[in-house]
Amino acid sequence: MELNNEYGTPEDFRKAVVELRNALPAQNTVSTDSAVLKTHGDSRFDYHPESPPTVVAFPNSTEDVVAIVKIALKYKMPIIPYSGATSLEGNFRAPPIGGICVDLSRMNKILEIHEADSDVVCQPGVQWTHLNDALKEKGIRLFFPLDPGYGATIGGMISTGCSGTNAVCYGTAKGEWILNITVVLPNGQVMKTRQRSRKSSAGFDSTKLFIGAEGTLGIITEATLRLAPVLDTNVAVVSFPDARSASNAVIEVMNRGVGAQCIELVDDVFMHAVNASGLYEQKWPETDSLFIKFQGSTARAIQEGSDIAREVMTKHGAIAFELAKNEQEATDLWNIRKNALHAGLKLVPGARGWSTDVCVPVSRLPEIITETKKDIAKTTITSVVIGHAGDGNFHTLLLFRDDAELEVARQLADRMAERAIALEGTCTGEHGVGIGKRKYLKQELGEGTIDFMKTIKRAIDPLNLFNPGKASIQVIMLFD
Amino acid sequence: MELNNEYGTPEDFRKAVVELRNALPAQNTVSTDSAVLKTHGDSRFDYHPESPPTVVAFPNSTEDVVAIVKIALKYKMPIIPYSGATSLEGNFRAPPIGGICVDLSRMNKILEIHEADSDVVCQPGVQWTHLNDALKEKGIRLFFPLDPGYGATIGGMISTGCSGTNAVCYGTAKGEWILNITVVLPNGQVMKTRQRSRKSSAGFDSTKLFIGAEGTLGIITEATLRLAPVLDTNVAVVSFPDARSASNAVIEVMNRGVGAQCIELVDDVFMHAVNASGLYEQKWPETDSLFIKFQGSTARAIQEGSDIAREVMTKHGAIAFELAKNEQEATDLWNIRKNALHAGLKLVPGARGWSTDVCVPVSRLPEIITETKKDIAKTTITSVVIGHAGDGNFHTLLLFRDDAELEVARQLADRMAERAIALEGTCTGEHGVGIGKRKYLKQELGEGTIDFMKTIKRAIDPLNLFNPGKASIQVIMLFD
């Protein structure tokens, strides 16, 4: 079961670059500048090996992308989509043979806003934060609730199967937020997957196949997104003796139907990092804690939700429950969680951070956090734990100071992934597969599912041109 | 772009039946009894032409299904999955050449309940109502929120891409309720699509491809389902002068974040049917109305939600707002909506009902309902309108008395589908495609998407054995 991977020759690739320049003649639309190639083959956010493309093209439209794909087809040249470049698993690294990086960051227009239908149509290079800012500026009390890292764009978010802190309330990219997408397929054809209604049972939804596919099946050039109403919120920080009591409290709070937009678990090391950061006057207990964003239709509804949460959490052993007294306090408290990376990195002077995540059935979260922290404690690595507690999803930020510690961090991340899989979980809750998590997929999904995914990949991209070596199609790819 | 459809000969099919009996030797596990064949090739719920299979097999396990699929492969015999048989578009009719109907109704076990993780593992023949009853009996305050017609089973619900009255709050089968499935693929291999954690970004989720595929890509033999907490509810009936004011009120209530499990729109004819049914002592205004099920974490939260709804709805012109005063009243009011089919059918003595549904962006709902009612008024057909207003999804129950009126009903349903597609909607909101809605798909999805779906179908089921002529793969199928 091998995919064709007879790519073009270096001479073919040179011809392809010439044709790209002819097809996209505007200035700065096709680049082989070494600095541009380097940027597009590396990342500030991860420590996977860099691997630059042969050329970077900056399309402005679906038609431009079609032109690029046709050239890639003609010269059997790999093609790698790129936009926000915030992914963490090397998701946009070129294969060693090179290829065309398709940088979609100029396709960053919001095309239509349908307020009464709670949806928008936009291009893939739109950042989710910009989309939400634009809605706010227009006085529209709707927002797009998927909230991965700052700078992430819609195309990348769909392709990564992203989520974020809001997922406990709103679910992930794999839910019903992506109403349809326009995709340029590996054969150069353009497909709009479905219409704009919220629901449809008109066969299987082709959209879904592209969510989490990391560009291996096509390039998304437009998307219709469902929006959610903006509700009032308030924030609490709750300190617990350990992750287990915090997790149990979360399960009960959720089952009581408390309106919570986010329920974030952080560990004692994180709270120490916050206190030690010098960023805040206040000091918090340095124990496993929850940051909760309550939401509701009125202030009274939020108060009631937080009252229930306080009662449940006290029952589960909470040692402190601080609810913001006004909007400014709520923003300030939430910023502590939001600036996790910043505070975490300050913990070890000069350190860099390896960020990795896994997800398990929620009842197994305390167990895997405990085991992972024990494992980390055996090394010289310092790490903070940040989890989306309501989802069973957690991150470690493994702080390393040199190449030797980077290797230790890599091994810790490996064992974390294996532990998650053993607990009926996944090696990647929301960061995607890229080149970083490929090796776990067979173990996690089983040979049958991998074969099935390969069958799909082969049918849609028989030449294996689209982001080869990524996502789930790893076992037969260039990188291995 | 043709699928292979060289099926076996009648002699091949006879041999297949003999092999089926050998492979599944227990009594009453393989049947060619004419009454059994008739039941499995027709439906009490729709008026599409009947079309019985050659043989019906009743597997008890995934292994049984594998054995059946291998025999189908050997003799190139179509294979049609069947369980609750409540679908409305002929989704389980055999192709004219016949085939093996795989009746999964004996695979009706709940295998695992993970209360702390809010999920269950079950077989495809489990009815959603039985699942929820079983959870209730065990004192577990969790439920599976997808609620199509009574009698629907998990396998069929997944395969139809179902939803129901709860979709406005919980979304549809295409959301994140189906954590994983075990499928017997057309090549006889068994695949479990993914692990049990709530989230994963480990590549595209193969599960999604089977949601709405109507058995054309494989047979589901097990599923892990996410559950939601059971919350307290209350019910209101709100009378409006017309569907437009009701729809506008619904949009605003939803944007205010009111906790509503269901928001159902019914028309004046429905309310007349209720009053005329003799089933209820009370009489309601015979106008377009909403049935709302409020939910919340406490009685006060529900009261607050209903207060906001009352205020918003009054602003939008509601002429009556009746909130149940206790649990019994709430159950009674909700039963009026639940018994819609029953009350509707009583409206025209001796009539049968053709049930069809479409879905449009929510702001277009009043327009399409108005146009559809005008269209119906030009005929001798009586119809009630019942909509899931928050989703833009509505049903008509077209009451016909004879074959001539059946033909008129069919044409009304045709025009309703075309109208929905013209308004950026879908010909089928939640009933699936079956044989009834195939003809609209090219118009709705476009040639590119249909080609894409065919590519997938061909890759997974190259012999076109699995439920041929259904779902989205219609244009190249036997039935055309």
Side-chain angles (χ1 to χ4, degrees):
Chain A
M1 254 211 183
E2 291 299 316
L3 288 183
N4 180 343
N5 58 6
E6 289 176 16
Y7 295 112
T9 62
E11 180 55 24
D12 288 331
F13 286 14
R14 271 190 292 275
K15 285 184 198 161
V17 173
V18 173
E19 281 200 31
L20 281 171
R21 291 196 199 279
N22 290 336
L24 287 77
Q27 220 183 347
N28 298 323
T29 309
V30 176
S31 175
T32 52
D33 179 274
S34 63
V36 172
L37 298 184
K38 190 174 162 47
T39 316
H40 287 77
D42 203 1
S43 167
R44 296 179 291 131
F45 299 107
D46 72 55
Y47 300 93
H48 300 295
E50 64 180 314
S51 185
T54 310
V55 55
V56 181
F58 297 85
N60 281 298
S61 64
T62 301
E63 292 67 35
D64 284 354
V65 176
V66 171
I68 297 167
V69 168
K70 287 191 170 162
I71 292 167
L73 268 174
K74 182 172 171 187
Y75 293 104
K76 295 193 178 166
M77 191 164 179
I79 189 162
I80 309 106
Y82 176 106
S83 51
T86 59
S87 55
L88 292 164
E89 295 296 348
N91 315 51
F92 56 82
R93 296 292 201 284
I97 196 176
I100 306 168
C101 175
V102 183
D103 184 327
L104 296 144
S105 57
R106 294 184 193 168
M107 291 178 68
N108 61 354
K109 316 271 176 309
I110 299 168
L111 303 172
E112 297 168 26
I113 299 177
H114 304 118
E115 187 175 359
D117 295 325
S118 298
D119 68 51
V120 293
V121 182
C122 71
Q123 292 185 312
V126 171
Q127 294 184 17
W128 66 271
T129 50
H130 291 180
L131 171 60
N132 288 339
D133 289 347
L135 291 165
K136 199 173 179 181
E137 271 165 34
K138 285 180 194 296
I140 297 172
R141 283 184 60 81
L142 295 168
F143 77 118
F144 185 61
L146 306 182
D147 64 331
Y150 188 81
T153 63
I154 298 302
M157 289 160 66
I158 296 171
S159 298
T160 310
C162 81
S163 45
T165 65
N166 293 334
V168 67
C169 178
Y170 295 98
T172 80
K174 297 190 175 183
E176 300 188 75
W177 298 105
I178 321 299
L179 294 179
N180 64 50
I181 51 173
T182 299
V183 195
V184 180
L185 294 169
N187 63 5
Q189 287 194 330
V190 179
M191 157 173 89
K192 182 176 169 182
T193 50
R194 73 170 193 82
Q195 301 242 58
R196 197 163 60 79
S197 56
R198 276 187 200 169
K199 283 167 45 172
S200 173
S201 60
F204 66 81
D205 183 357
S206 310
T207 318
K208 303 292 193 191
L209 209 48
F210 295 86
I211 301 175
E214 301 187 14
T216 56
L217 301 176
I219 297 180
I220 298 166
T221 60
E222 203 174 295
T224 304
L225 310 175
R226 184 165 171 185
L227 304 174
V230 173
L231 302 181
D232 291 336
T233 61
N234 198 6
V235 174
V237 180
V238 195
S239 312
F240 282 89
D242 52 45
R244 182 167 300 279
S245 52
S247 290
N248 289 341
V250 168
I251 292 172
E252 188 172 336
V253 163
M254 290 177 66
N255 284 349
R256 289 281 292 272
V258 168
Q261 185 179 334
C262 318
I263 309 183
E264 297 285 291
L265 176 68
V266 297
D267 74 344
D268 52 341
V269 186
F270 175 85
M271 291 312 296
H272 170 67
V274 168
N275 286 339
S277 68
L279 295 167
Y280 312 99
E281 266 181 41
Q282 191 181 340
K283 301 290 171 222
W284 285 271
E286 296 186 1
T287 67
D288 297 339
S289 303
L290 296 172
F291 283 75
I292 308 176
K293 196 185 273 185
F294 296 102
Q295 73 174 14
S297 48
T298 63
R300 200 169 71 181
I302 294 170
Q303 184 61 48
E304 193 174 76
S306 62
D307 287 348
I308 295 172
R310 188 194 296 261
E311 172 214 316
V312 170
M313 293 190 166
T314 306
K315 190 181 90 184
H316 283 279
I319 53 182
F321 185 103
E322 181 189 354
L323 185 69
K325 284 181 242 14
N326 53 50
E327 218 176 303
Q328 188 55 51
E329 263 189 46
T331 306
D332 291 346
L333 281 181
W334 196 250
N335 277 339
I336 299 172
R337 164 61 190 89
K338 252 175 91 178
N339 296 330
L341 183 65
H342 188 56
L345 282 173
K346 286 189 85 168
L347 205 53
V348 178
R352 289 169 291 164
W354 176 293
S355 178
T356 190
D357 91 309
V358 298
C359 185
V360 293
V362 288
S363 71
R364 320 304 288 268
L365 189 62
E367 181 177 347
I368 191 169
I369 289 179
T370 305
E371 290 302 311
T372 300
K373 284 169 71 85
K374 268 190 210 163
D375 198 16
I376 294 167
K378 287 182 207 149
T379 70
T380 58
I381 297 270
T382 299
S383 173
V384 298
V385 166
I386 299 162
H388 307 314
D391 301 321
N393 181 204
F394 81 105
H395 305 244
T396 52
L397 179 68
L398 300 157
L399 300 163
F400 63 94
R401 288 164 294 193
D402 53 34
D403 282 358
E405 282 195 341
L406 170 58
E407 189 47 38
V408 174
R410 208 184 294 275
Q411 289 166 8
L412 283 167
D414 273 355
R415 288 195 291 274
M416 200 168 126
E418 279 160 15
R419 220 172 276 132
I421 294 168
L423 292 172
E424 295 184 80
T426 175
C427 67
T428 177
E430 53 186 17
H431 295 172
V433 178
I435 57 175
K437 295 284 175 84
R438 288 180 305 155
K439 58 185 162 187
Y440 311 113
L441 284 193
K442 209 176 212 170
Q443 186 184 345
E444 177 175 329
L445 298 173
E447 196 128 10
T449 302
I450 298 289
D451 279 350
F452 181 83
M453 294 171 106
K454 281 195 233 171
T455 302
I456 301 286
K457 167 72 171 175
R458 206 169 28 240
I460 306 300
D461 180 21
L463 297 174
N464 191 22
L465 296 184
F466 273 56
N467 211 6
K470 303 301 165 3
S472 40
I473 344 288
Q474 89 292 6
V475 279
I476 32 131
M477 290 288 142
L478 263 179
F479 268 82
D480 286 312
Chain B
M1 247 205 185
E2 292 299 315
L3 287 181
N4 180 344
N5 58 4
E6 289 176 15
Y7 296 111
T9 62
E11 180 55 26
D12 289 330
F13 287 14
R14 270 189 293 276
K15 286 184 196 159
V17 172
V18 173
E19 281 201 29
L20 281 173
R21 292 196 197 280
N22 290 337
L24 286 76
Q27 220 183 345
N28 298 324
T29 309
V30 176
S31 175
T32 52
D33 179 274
S34 63
V36 173
L37 298 185
K38 191 175 159 47
T39 316
H40 287 77
D42 203 0
S43 167
R44 295 180 290 131
F45 298 107
D46 72 56
Y47 300 93
H48 300 296
E50 65 179 315
S51 185
T54 310
V55 55
V56 182
F58 297 86
N60 281 298
S61 65
T62 300
E63 292 66 36
D64 283 354
V65 175
V66 170
I68 296 166
V69 168
K70 287 191 169 161
I71 292 167
L73 268 173
K74 182 172 171 187
Y75 294 103
K76 295 194 178 166
M77 191 164 180
I79 188 161
I80 308 106
Y82 176 107
S83 50
T86 59
S87 56
L88 292 165
E89 295 296 347
N91 315 49
F92 56 81
R93 295 292 200 283
I97 197 176
I100 306 168
C101 175
V102 182
D103 184 326
L104 296 144
S105 57
R106 293 184 193 169
M107 291 178 67
N108 62 354
K109 316 273 175 308
I110 299 169
L111 303 171
E112 297 168 25
I113 298 177
H114 305 118
E115 186 175 358
D117 296 324
S118 298
D119 68 52
V120 292
V121 182
C122 71
Q123 291 184 314
V126 171
Q127 294 183 16
W128 65 271
T129 49
H130 291 180
L131 170 60
N132 288 340
D133 289 347
L135 291 165
K136 198 172 180 182
E137 271 165 33
K138 286 180 193 297
I140 297 172
R141 282 185 60 82
L142 295 168
F143 78 117
F144 185 61
L146 305 182
D147 64 331
Y150 188 82
T153 63
I154 298 302
M157 290 161 66
I158 296 172
S159 298
T160 309
C162 82
S163 45
T165 65
N166 293 335
V168 67
C169 177
Y170 295 99
T172 79
K174 297 190 174 182
E176 301 189 74
W177 297 104
I178 320 299
L179 295 179
N180 65 49
I181 52 174
T182 299
V183 194
V184 180
L185 294 169
N187 63 6
Q189 287 194 330
V190 178
M191 157 172 88
K192 183 176 168 182
T193 50
R194 73 171 194 81
Q195 301 240 60
R196 197 164 58 80
S197 55
R198 275 187 200 170
K199 282 167 47 173
S200 173
S201 59
F204 66 81
D205 184 356
S206 310
T207 318
K208 302 292 192 190
L209 209 49
F210 295 86
I211 301 175
E214 302 186 15
T216 56
L217 300 176
I219 297 179
I220 298 166
T221 60
E222 204 173 295
T224 304
L225 310 175
R226 184 166 171 184
L227 304 174
V230 173
L231 302 181
D232 290 337
T233 61
N234 197 7
V235 174
V237 180
V238 195
S239 312
F240 282 88
D242 52 45
R244 182 167 299 278
S245 52
S247 290
N248 289 341
V250 169
I251 292 173
E252 188 172 336
V253 163
M254 289 177 65
N255 284 348
R256 290 282 292 273
V258 168
Q261 186 180 333
C262 317
I263 308 184
E264 296 286 290
L265 175 68
V266 298
D267 75 344
D268 52 342
V269 185
F270 175 85
M271 291 312 296
H272 170 68
V274 169
N275 286 341
S277 69
L279 295 166
Y280 313 100
E281 266 181 43
Q282 192 180 340
K283 302 289 172 220
W284 286 272
E286 296 185 0
T287 67
D288 296 340
S289 303
L290 296 172
F291 283 75
I292 308 177
K293 196 184 272 185
F294 297 102
Q295 72 173 15
S297 48
T298 63
R300 201 170 70 180
I302 294 170
Q303 184 61 49
E304 192 174 74
S306 63
D307 286 348
I308 295 173
R310 187 194 297 261
E311 171 214 317
V312 170
M313 293 190 166
T314 305
K315 191 180 88 185
H316 284 278
I319 53 183
F321 185 104
E322 180 188 353
L323 185 69
K325 284 182 240 16
N326 53 50
E327 217 176 304
Q328 187 56 49
E329 263 190 46
T331 306
D332 291 346
L333 280 181
W334 196 252
N335 277 338
I336 299 172
R337 164 62 190 88
K338 253 174 91 178
N339 296 330
L341 183 66
H342 189 53
L345 283 172
K346 287 189 86 170
L347 205 52
V348 178
R352 290 169 292 165
W354 176 293
S355 178
T356 190
D357 90 310
V358 298
C359 185
V360 293
V362 286
S363 70
R364 320 302 289 267
L365 189 61
E367 180 178 347
I368 191 168
I369 289 179
T370 305
E371 289 302 312
T372 300
K373 283 170 71 88
K374 269 191 211 161
D375 198 17
I376 294 167
K378 287 182 209 150
T379 71
T380 58
I381 297 270
T382 298
S383 173
V384 299
V385 166
I386 300 162
H388 307 316
D391 300 323
N393 180 204
F394 81 104
H395 305 245
T396 51
L397 179 68
L398 301 157
L399 300 163
F400 63 95
R401 289 164 293 192
D402 53 33
D403 284 356
E405 284 196 339
L406 170 57
E407 189 46 37
V408 175
R410 209 184 294 274
Q411 289 166 8
L412 283 167
D414 274 354
R415 288 195 291 274
M416 197 167 129
E418 279 160 15
R419 220 171 276 131
I421 293 168
L423 293 171
E424 295 184 80
T426 175
C427 68
T428 177
E430 54 185 17
H431 295 171
V433 178
I435 56 176
K437 295 285 175 85
R438 288 179 305 154
K439 58 185 162 188
Y440 311 113
L441 284 193
K442 209 177 212 170
Q443 187 185 344
E444 176 174 329
L445 298 174
E447 196 128 10
T449 303
I450 298 287
D451 279 351
F452 181 83
M453 295 170 106
K454 281 193 229 171
T455 302
I456 302 287
K457 168 73 172 175
R458 208 171 25 243
I460 306 300
D461 180 21
L463 297 174
N464 191 21
L465 297 183
F466 273 55
N467 210 6
K470 301 303 164 4
S472 39
I473 343 289
Q474 90 293 4
V475 277
I476 32 133
M477 290 289 145
L478 264 180
F479 268 81
D480 288 312

